[in-house]
């Protein structure tokens, strides 16, 4: 993996942590995800006139990804409704690269160097340690179950988008069509769920929604582009360093206390990133 690609994915992780911080602007997590996704779709529409139609080979991956993103949004919002953000988020993100690796190896016969695999395991261990570093009522069984299901959908859309980008003659075409499609899907779901209140809520949260939508495009757009050039398993794991950046944001900007366990977990994640770089 080139240094440029490596650094780009780390920047994507920063953007991911940032839009997850923005999503806290309301009590309804599904509404927050919906507004951001719709805005990322709206921002992507003008680019469709430049990129043109997607390749026929990518249509099945776009359709699959849209379905997986619906499951992701529903389960993530339900997980947040039953558990604390600081612990649900690490569980859902920490399990995702592990599932992605298992699916890629068993279903698609992907291969991975042992050093890269060791780095993935370090990142997963560090992220999950962040989730279980203290006892809290947020460890409700239902919340954790939904967090794990969210990780399953994350692994599924990661693989579908990785192969979709590889099958496209231009990854940017796939990226912008994916965001536009997801925006339309979430618009339909939003109207179906909130009916007459959706337009009012959408306009109310327009500013944070637009900010989060743009961050979504950069965070996941970079990841899809990277998966077209490097092993999906490695990119998926590096992306989850977003949990580390979220920890740093909470410590330096929100003034939250860094516990010893969190510092240890952060060191494990950094070690995993270094090992992945050495192995690639």
């Amino acid at each position: 993996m080139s240094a440029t690609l490596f650094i780009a994915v780390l920047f994507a992780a920063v953007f991911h942590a940032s839009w997850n911080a923005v999503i806290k602007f309301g009590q309804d997590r599904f509404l927050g995800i919906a507004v951001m996704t719709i805005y990322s779709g709206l921002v992507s529409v003008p680019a469709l006139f430049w990129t043109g139609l997607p390749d026929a080979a990518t249509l099945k991956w776009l359709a699959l990804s849209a379905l997986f993103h619906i499951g992701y949004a529903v389960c993530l919002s339900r997980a947040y409704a039953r558990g604390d953000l600081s612990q649900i988020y690490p569980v859902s993100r920490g399990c995702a690269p592990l599932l992605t690796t298992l699916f890629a190896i068993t279903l698609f016969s992907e291969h991975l160097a042992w050093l890269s695999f060791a780095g993935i395991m370090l990142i997963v261990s560090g992220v999950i340690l962040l989730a279980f570093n203290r006892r809290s009522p947020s460890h409700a069984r239902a919340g954790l179950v939904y967090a794990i299901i969210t990780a399953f959908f994350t692994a599924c859309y990661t693989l579908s988008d990785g192969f979709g980008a590889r099958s496209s003659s231009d990854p940017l075409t796939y990226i912008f069509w994916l965001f536009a499609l997801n925006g339309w899907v979430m618009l339909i779901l939003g109207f179906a769920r909130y009916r007459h209140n959706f337009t009012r809520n959408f306009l109310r949260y327009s500013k944070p929604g637009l900010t989060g939508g743009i961050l979504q495009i950069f965070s996941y757009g970079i990841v899809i582009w990277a998966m077209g050039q490097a092993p999906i398993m490695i990119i998926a794991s590096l992306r989850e360093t977003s949990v580390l950046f979220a920890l740093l944001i909470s410590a330096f900007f929100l003034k939250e206390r860094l516990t010893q366990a969190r510092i240890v977990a952060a060191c494990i994640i950094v070690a995993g990133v270094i090992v992945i770089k050495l192995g690639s």
Side-chain angles (χ1 to χ4, degrees):
M1 181 189 301
S2 67
T4 300
L5 190 63
F6 183 81
I7 294 172
V9 176
L10 292 183
F11 269 107
V14 174
F15 293 139
H16 191 278
S18 299
W19 79 254
N20 271 270
V22 174
I23 204 175
K24 297 166 65 176
F25 62 77
Q27 297 298 319
D28 191 330
R29 302 302 184 189
F30 182 83
L31 177 63
I33 295 173
V35 173
M36 287 186 183
T37 305
I38 292 170
Y39 267 113
S40 66
L42 289 174
V43 172
S44 298
V45 167
L48 302 183
F49 296 96
W50 168 55
T51 60
L53 295 174
D55 298 331
T58 65
L59 295 180
K60 62 180 180 181
W61 299 115
L62 284 169
L64 278 174
S65 183
L67 291 174
F68 291 142
H69 273 90
I70 293 174
Y72 165 81
V74 171
C75 291
L76 182 62
S77 62
R78 291 186 178 181
Y80 283 148
R82 293 164 173 80
D84 186 66
L85 177 66
S86 64
Q87 292 180 321
I88 292 297
Y89 179 65
V91 171
S92 62
R93 305 312 305 182
C95 294
L98 178 60
L99 292 174
T100 302
T101 300
L102 293 176
F103 291 162
I105 292 175
T106 58
L107 299 179
F108 299 99
S109 300
E110 293 277 298
H111 300 288
L112 196 65
W114 70 269
L115 198 57
S116 296
F117 184 79
I120 290 175
M121 292 301 101
L122 281 172
I123 291 177
V124 170
S125 300
V127 171
I128 293 180
L129 178 60
L130 280 175
F132 296 101
N133 69 82
R134 60 187 175 89
R135 293 182 179 180
S136 169
S138 66
H139 279 291
R141 182 176 301 179
L144 292 179
V145 169
Y146 276 117
I148 294 172
I149 298 174
T150 299
F152 167 79
F153 282 114
T154 300
C156 290
Y157 74 64
T158 297
L159 287 171
S160 65
D161 290 335
F163 288 111
R166 291 180 181 181
S167 63
S168 176
S169 57
D170 182 6
L172 284 178
T173 302
Y174 183 89
I175 290 169
F176 286 121
W177 274 97
L178 175 65
F179 279 110
L181 179 60
N182 284 338
W184 278 106
V185 170
M186 292 305 294
L187 179 63
I188 294 172
L189 290 178
F191 272 113
R193 179 165 180 169
Y194 299 99
R195 300 184 185 278
H196 302 296
N197 294 326
F198 181 72
T199 301
R200 181 182 63 185
N201 290 330
F202 180 83
L203 295 175
R204 180 182 178 186
Y205 296 122
S206 286
K207 187 175 181 179
L210 177 59
T211 302
I214 294 173
L215 288 171
Q216 274 189 346
I217 293 175
F218 279 105
S219 66
Y220 197 47
I222 292 173
V223 168
I224 295 175
W225 166 75
M227 288 191 297
Q229 304 182 56
I232 296 174
M233 297 172 284
I234 293 179
I235 301 301
S237 298
L238 285 178
R239 178 182 59 177
E240 304 316 334
T241 56
S242 59
V243 176
L244 172 62
F245 293 116
L247 176 65
L248 295 176
I249 289 173
S250 66
F252 290 100
F253 294 99
L254 302 180
K255 306 302 179 183
E256 295 183 0
R257 187 172 65 91
L258 280 177
T259 64
Q260 185 177 3
R262 290 187 174 187
I263 294 175
V264 171
C267 291
I268 293 174
I269 294 172
V270 171
V273 171
I274 295 173
V275 171
I276 282 181
K277 180 55 182 171
L278 292 175
S280 59

